[in-house]
């Protein structure tokens, strides 16, 4: 199975800050990497697919980058509604494993 | 707007089985795959498997092989996940989700989740 290492596991930032979450895979997955946002008590929501393509309707302050084994989700100008847990997922090989999540708190 | 509506919460005893349903709105059910993902209380997401309503192809994580059956009914646009021999560590929210296959694969819509509680 492809192992996912997501960091940090938790993060506290202020409104307006730039936030970066990283995801590292145990083997190269090209760009088969997705990012999801999960608000408390809700189902996950797709933010970015194919490592860097923003899903329709997602605010442009979110962006994804990377290929191979190292990937990044960036939120520029953090907003209060970005309070959530963020997960990466690889879909290169089955099982389509998720990272352990990054819990983002607003200071 | 695509909607995936799942069946209600279940409470089961250890050793029992549970079957969760997931009904898709719209008329594109056979054009996409359906993944099943679970989340134990306070934990992360765990991918369980995938099924294609178009040709019934399935792909289960090895951990669930022998205990999970994925099926679909294209006449009602409904997917099902049956989990057998339930244990306490199967207590989780179970999500169905729609897979898109492009240059890569991603989940674009999720059901609301079904809480399955396993307790004696």
């Amino acid at each position: 199975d492809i192992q996912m290492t997501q960091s940090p596991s938790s993060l506290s930032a202020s409104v307006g800050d730039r936030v970066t979450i990283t995801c590292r895979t145990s083997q190269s997955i090209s760009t088969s990497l997705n990012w999801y946002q999960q608000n408390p008590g809700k189902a996950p929501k797709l933010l970015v697919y194919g490592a860097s393509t923003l899903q329709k309707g997602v605010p442009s302050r979110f962006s994804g980058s990377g290929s191979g084994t190292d990937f990044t989700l960036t939120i520029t100008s953090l907003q209060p509604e970005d309070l959530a847990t963020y997960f990466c997922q690889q879909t290169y090989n089955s099982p389509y494993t998720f990272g352990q999540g990054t819990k983002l708190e607003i200071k | 707007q695509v909607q995936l509506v799942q069946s209600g919460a279940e409470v089961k005893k250890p050793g029992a089985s549970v079957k969760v349903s997931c009904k898709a709105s719209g008329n594109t059910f056979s054009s996409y795959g359906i993944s099943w993902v679970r989340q134990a209380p306070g934990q992360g997401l765990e991918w369980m498997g995938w099924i294609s309503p178009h040709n019934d192809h399935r792909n289960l994580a090895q951990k669930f092989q022998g205990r999970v059956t994925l099926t679909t009914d294209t006449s009602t646009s409904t997917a099902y996940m049956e989990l057998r021999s339930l244990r306490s560590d199967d207590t989780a929210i179970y999500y169905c989700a729609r897979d898109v296959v492009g240059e890569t694969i991603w989940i674009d819509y999720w059901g609301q989740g079904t809480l399955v509680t396993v307790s004696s």
Side-chain angles (χ1 to χ4, degrees), chain A residues 31-32 34 36 38 42-44 46 49-50 55 87 89 91 94-96 98, chain B residues 37 39 43-47 59-61 95 104-108 110-112:
Chain A
T31 57
S32 296
N34 309 316
Y36 302 92
Q38 187 176 34
K42 300 291 188 182
L46 176 67
Y49 62 92
Q55 171 70 344
F87 295 94
Q89 181 202 25
T91 55
S94 175
Y96 296 155
F98 288 89
Chain B
V37 176
Q39 186 170 38
Q43 302 301 308
L45 301 170
E46 181 175 30
W47 185 85
N59 185 353
L60 272 180
Y95 293 101
T104 62
I105 300 169
W106 61 94
I107 290 172
D108 64 348
W110 297 70
Q112 84 276 19

Side-chain angles (χ1 to χ4, degrees), chain B residues 24-37:
Chain B
S25 64
N27 56 3
T28 59
F29 182 66
S30 294
S31 302
Y32 299 88
I34 295 287
S35 276
W36 290 88
V37 176

Side-chain angles (χ1 to χ4, degrees), chain A residues 62-99:
Chain A
F62 291 92
S63 65
S65 64
S67 67
T69 61
D70 293 296
F71 301 87
T72 299
L73 175 71
T74 301
I75 311 172
T76 57
S77 192
L78 190 68
Q79 299 300 302
E81 60 266 31
D82 299 335
L83 162 75
T85 300
Y86 294 83
F87 295 94
C88 57
Q89 181 202 25
Q90 67 81 19
T91 55
Y92 186 79
N93 273 347
S94 175
Y96 296 155
T97 39
F98 288 89

